[in-house]
Amino acid sequence: MTSEPRTTPFRMPEHLFAELAAGGGSAQAVAFLEQGERARRLLLLRTLLDRLAAVPTALTPTAEAWHVVKEAARRAPAPVERLLLAPTTGAWIAHLLRRVHGTATGPHLWAEAGRLNALAVAAALHAGTETVLRVPLHDGALPLPGLGLARLPGAAAGVTAGTAHTRAGELTLTGPAHDRGTARLTCRPATAPVGAAPSAADAVWLPLRTLTHTTPSGPVAIPLEDLDPYRDLDDPLPPARLDDDEAAAWQRQFDAAVAILTTGDGPGPGRLDPAMIRSVVPWARTSLLPPPPPEVRVSASSGDAYGAMVIARPASPLALAEALVHEFQHSKLAALIHLFPLLDDDRAERYYAPWRPDPRHLTGLLHGAYAFTGVAGFWRDRLSDPEHAGTAAYHFALRRTQSRLVVRTLLTSGRLTAPGRALVGGLARTLDGWLREPVAPSALARARTAAALHRTEWRLRNVVRPSGAPAGHLVPPGPGADTVPLRPDRTPWPDRRTHAFAVRPADPRTPDEHLAAGDPAAALAGYAEGLAREPGEPHLLAGWIVARAALDPGPAGRRLLARPERVAPPAAG
């Protein structure tokens, strides 16, 4: 790979765009997106190199480090290409560009710029070339992108400069020692599969561990990235090495998730070849204790780090498989946005998103619609699985309904470009077809109830409620009723119902459980009791409104659900 400009324009074939617009995408379509990401990465890197040339540094100058990278690329093009297209490289470039433009902060700029030198060292190791580079050390540690972490024994604390010498795949690293002498190490950096890496606490080399699985074309190794400072979606952060047992748990969960993902055929929405994942970043936990929750509590991705996904490990392989699909959908859409202007977004956060506690802007809505269309497809593929069919029917029904609602918002916003209309129109056709597919009545009823509960509680917590109506009645609309004034005091709130309604309760006790079991009368009484103790509490009031609407499914009930913020809480007693 070089930084020379590419003159051939990108023209995505219509059939590949149609695949992606439907929410899916064949290997050929994804490969095209990766070509676009490659071109964008090179453009951003060229811009960054120009800006870094003027940064004062105690390290080898940027131009010399980049020459080492290009020389290594000539000798070992494939591994150096992977290195420069790695998610952590993209995150570093984006972060440094923000720094040089004054919109981000971090450690000494020369040290962050020196990441290029570390990248050059990693490239030289792959190519087996000999080079000597001055590199930044953090408490004596040198992160080598795509390989792992070298740690000088007895090194000086803080940010210092060291010297890296590579020859025939071997690294010799020297730097200041804490006793004012020189610390030194020699090793042969390489990654290691989970379970094969040494676990000695004082090891001078911590290899990047990989999640491995076998495909028809051979074994695939996906980085389990817990070392690189640019593995997160924002500012650099220190290593958070997983315990050996936690890393092994990741491999077991990943194996089971891959087995689930490989049961679907074709490039439809919700299908994911795990080989397309570029890295998995464990979030928050580094050991087996406390036990993880059954579902994924946190997952995230970034357009700057294509193919990477930050995930809090769940106890359920099914939940992990869903999260992998969800986050890869975000990566695909981010790559599309880099190729096409899809919408004219004023970035005003005023729209309802069925999977968020807060108002969102149009770009966020588009990302959510695309991701959850893939999630709906994932659950659709599980409908024929006897082990998961019950919960799959609920999640499929819920996510197709919620995604179609957001697609309608996007289509009526008036802010989509021609490619944006084509993309969202493709999602609409996929979802409209799915909405005609039969789903078990009990699961469908719970999904519709859960969707109504989320929207109702969202409006109660985010939309200004007029005053002046009798208890339990709609507040008459006033001037400007077509607008949605948002509350200035809104705060995050937990969505306790989306997962709770996935299974019909066998012995309902709480108002939510009565509602999930299809008994709105018992639920209404329970919510009223709760509201007598906590008047106006949004979670209880949302349940009360939905239960009341279920008992009166005519126009009056629909009006309650349409503008729940105009409903005054029932009087105590």
Side-chain angles (χ1 to χ4, degrees), residues 394-439:
Y394 164 82
H395 288 295
F396 172 56
L398 177 66
R399 297 313 188 186
R400 70 181 182 181
T401 298
Q402 292 177 327
S403 298
R404 189 59 180 89
L405 174 64
V406 171
V407 162
R408 183 178 67 185
T409 301
L410 290 163
L411 289 172
T412 58
S413 70
R415 290 184 170 272
L416 294 174
T417 64
R421 287 192 297 273
L423 177 73
V424 179
L427 295 179
R429 286 188 292 274
T430 294
L431 294 164
D432 287 344
W434 287 349
L435 285 166
R436 291 189 289 268
E437 295 183 3
V439 173

Side-chain angles (χ1 to χ4, degrees), residues 30-171:
V30 173
F32 191 95
L33 292 179
E34 291 183 333
Q35 291 174 22
E37 287 299 288
R38 179 186 188 276
R40 178 177 182 270
R41 182 74 57 83
L42 287 175
L43 286 170
L44 292 178
L45 182 58
R46 180 70 271 165
T47 301
L48 180 62
L49 292 176
D50 290 342
R51 297 300 297 267
L52 294 182
V55 174
T57 181
L59 309 176
T60 302
T62 299
E64 293 182 30
W66 181 241
H67 177 77
V68 171
V69 174
K70 292 197 292 184
E71 176 62 26
R74 280 191 285 271
R75 299 195 178 202
V80 177
E81 178 97 351
R82 287 194 300 270
L83 181 64
L84 290 173
L85 295 181
T88 52
T89 303
W92 167 71
I93 292 172
H95 174 73
L96 258 291
L97 285 172
R98 290 192 292 270
R99 282 212 64 180
V100 298
H101 284 95
T103 58
T105 59
H108 301 293
L109 182 56
W110 66 265
E112 287 211 86
R115 163 77 172 203
L116 178 66
N117 298 32
L119 192 148
V121 171
L125 288 166
H126 282 296
T129 55
E130 183 171 5
T131 190
V132 179
L133 291 166
R134 294 282 288 169
V135 293
L137 303 177
H138 299 265
D139 295 330
L142 174 65
L144 289 178
L147 290 172
L149 184 71
R151 301 186 298 181
L152 279 172
V159 179
T160 59
T163 300
H165 179 194
T166 69
R167 183 178 182 181
E170 184 176 81
L171 168 69

